[in-house]
Amino acid sequence: MGLHSRDVKQDVRELGALLGDVLAEQTSRESFETVEDVRTAAIDYRKGDRDSRADLDRLLDGLSPEGESTVARAFTTYFELINLAEERERARVVREASQSNTLEDGLVATVETLVESDADAETVQQVLEDVLIEPTFTAHPTEARRKTVKAKLRSIASRLEELDERRVTDREHEQLWRKVDAEVTSLWQTSQVRARRPEPQDEARNVQWYLESILFDVVGEVYAELEELLAEEYPEVDVPKLFEFRSWAGSDRDGNPFVTPEVTTDTLERQRSVVLEKYQTALKRLSGVLSQDGRRIDVGAELERSLKADRARLPGVAAEAESRYPGEPYRKKLKLMRERLRRIEDVRPDEYTEESEFLADLATIDRSLRSTGAAVVADEYVEPLMRQVDTFGFTLASLDLRDHRENHTEAVHEALSNEGIDYRGRDEDGRIEILTEAILQREPVLDLDDPGDVSETAARVLRRFDTLGEWQREFGVGAIDTYCISMTEEPSHVLEVLFLADQAGVVSLPDHCGLDIVPLLETESALNGARRIMGTLFENEAYAAALEARDDVQEIMLGYSDSNKENGFLAANWDLYKNQRRLATICDDFDVMMRLFHGRGGSISRGGGPMNEAMLALPNETVSGQIKFTEQGEAIAEKYANPQIAERNLEQMLNAQVRSRFRAIREPVEDVSDAWVDAMDEMAAAARAQYRDLLESDGFVAYFGQATPISVIEDLNLGSRPASRSGERTVEDLRAIPWVFSWTQSRCIITGWYALGTGIEAYLEEGGDIETLREMYEEWPFFRTTLDNASLALARTDLEIAGYYADLADPDLREEFFPHLTAEYERARDAVLDVSDQDSLLRREWLDESLRRRNPYVDPLNLLQTRLLAQEHRTDDEEQTLRLTVKGIAAGMKNTG
């Protein structure tokens, strides 16, 4: 018997048929037939059986408002279900490839690469000691689905898994399918559109679900497989901590006034409660296993000493344990451990003060079991729990704070002004001097409890830093120990945060610095000024002392989203690549270890794409082993909602990072020929000029507003954060997410390919040759990944559909911009195919099949959306339908922003 009893075609067919039945039952036979007519007309056109979309247009034009709602709901629900079918197929592929040992970038391949490269045990140990992968979950508003809808979809997914992986009787099959039927019916009756904007606590709970429900268990399995594989080839190698999870949900204040200290406190408390409960459950389960009779085995002096210390610490609980578990030493120990965990959130003393104490107790049990010949028990039950504690601690996920640098500057100015110090009036050198002296002096300059008369912005910032000290005292320094500064442009922007942390008692130099301060470099000026910014900081006496207290590790965040929005796809990617190398050189010059924090979004336009490929494409100089990157929006669900896919995702990232670090040790400086660099410089310069010319053209912002659904997206209840920083409709002020989301909805994804073709043509016209570009594509991971990502954006673009959106614009604006966008698309498509020497934009057959399956079902939603956008006045019901088309297209494209 095979591993599975179903395939993706069967899932799609049966779920689609079930949805049709539900549609007929919940609406009417007439409504069902209308949806079928729309579906058939769209499919026939895509297949070439109809010469035009005239029949489809006629059907949509004849819909009543109620009919429009039914069609939008039907196609949106279809995509929700089909996405589950494709997720199931991904899980099948992973399981089957794992069974046949053919996972190209799994852990087997990781160890094989090391062996085939003649890596010795010492080198392998060094690589693993260097590696630390830190996925950082954000609350960025790109998840279009309601939590209620996601819960129903997860229930359906679990039934599909049972049907696929279990041998069931006909009756069991019927019972399971009835449950699927019930969930689909309930899904149809449930509103797809949020009635209210989610609050930061909702976003934090969403992130928390993936951590506690999926990743908490999956991580141990990844470690176990790696240890097993390494034991065969490198038995002397120990596997250290390789993963740490972090979150911005509930702590990212940049542009979101709703993230208050109370929200952050609530997030920290809830996460701690969740992870402690997970440990309590694990210890109870372990107590059921460790029933050994102490009279038959010698548990060892170490465990006896540990029990004796616990008896002195908790005599009452020890007596109860002795009475309940006479002669069972492990169970006694576990009961005492559970009590110490319970007291962490209790007023009673003798709790675990930090996770290292809990981990030490588990290690004592582990060693004791091994000494009695029960290593298999330790491996199966204790080791995975130790990995979980090492990974999740008492925090589940450490929080990063973030705010815009202007807010820090304003807070420092106002607070110092109340102390008689003119901060705003100083130049950059003067500001650095004031901040440095204040940080180094022993007495605080500010009273954060009572800073005097300050603005609301300054008060929020000062209160946050004051509360930061309380958070670290209550939850531990590691629970919230990173502060990211958006739009960093000057060294003083970093020193302002260090100064405020010092005033809060979080920093006390030279002995203690409880904060990693992370400049976010996201503009062209900041990236090009990196040596000035970072070099000034590294030479600064106060900042150098803070770095030394943090083991001389400097985290630097790169902003992919705003860089793309400012410079265009090709120029942004090249700037980021060059500046990563530049930052590595700067850090190396000052003997500082750099940890890059990649601020990637889910879409290609915002640094998305396969994470393992992106990691392998990083310059060798930047691969210190530690890497951090954002995970956000619908990408979180796609990667981490299914345990098998989540495990696969972690394995791929680990494979990429181990290989990258090993390569960087062997070749510290990536060998990139001058000809390649010159080619990229020339292409990027031409592409940037073309892109900036588009953005700065008179009427372009108006065209964007008319030819995309940005006005709807701004009002969608996607996340707690506003769509723009100031509420103005300008490209500069608009956040990158709605900017990308709007172009994706209109099927004209210029953010992933615009000016790429112009850049390549400019290089060729100036004497470059296609063979050099093909060589770059074959041999340079950065260039290949950049073009492959552009291929994905090009393949998802549909200019015929985009033309319907262009028709919404004023005729003169349409004639000004749409032909130009069309020409740029064709230029980019032809250039990518020429350089990659391929016939198709998509190299992966499954992706090509997925797009062909989806396109006929996305089309009616797009056409319906353009009709609703064209109406000057919409009823509340029509407005609701319009919003539903946005959700449906996002589900169909499997992408928002």
Side-chain angles (χ1 to χ4, degrees), residues 283-291 331 334:
L283 291 184
K284 287 179 183 177
R285 186 166 54 245
L286 194 55
S287 185
V289 174
L290 301 186
S291 56
R331 284 181 163 176
L334 290 168

Side-chain angles (χ1 to χ4, degrees), residues 810-830:
D810 294 340
D812 56 335
L813 291 177
R814 187 199 192 285
E815 289 308 307
E816 172 72 19
F817 292 107
F818 190 63
H820 179 67
L821 297 179
T822 300
E824 277 296 329
Y825 169 84
E826 293 171 351
R827 195 173 289 122
R829 180 198 59 203
D830 294 346

Side-chain angles (χ1 to χ4, degrees), residues 424-460:
R424 176 172 286 164
R426 300 291 187 97
D427 61 13
E428 177 64 13
D429 289 342
R431 291 183 177 188
I432 290 173
E433 182 181 358
I434 290 174
L435 295 169
T436 303
E437 290 179 4
I439 294 165
L440 292 175
Q441 75 177 42
R442 286 192 173 275
E443 294 300 316
V445 177
L446 306 178
D447 180 356
L448 295 183
D449 273 335
D450 184 18
D453 184 21
V454 295
S455 66
E456 182 182 350
T457 295
R460 281 200 301 261

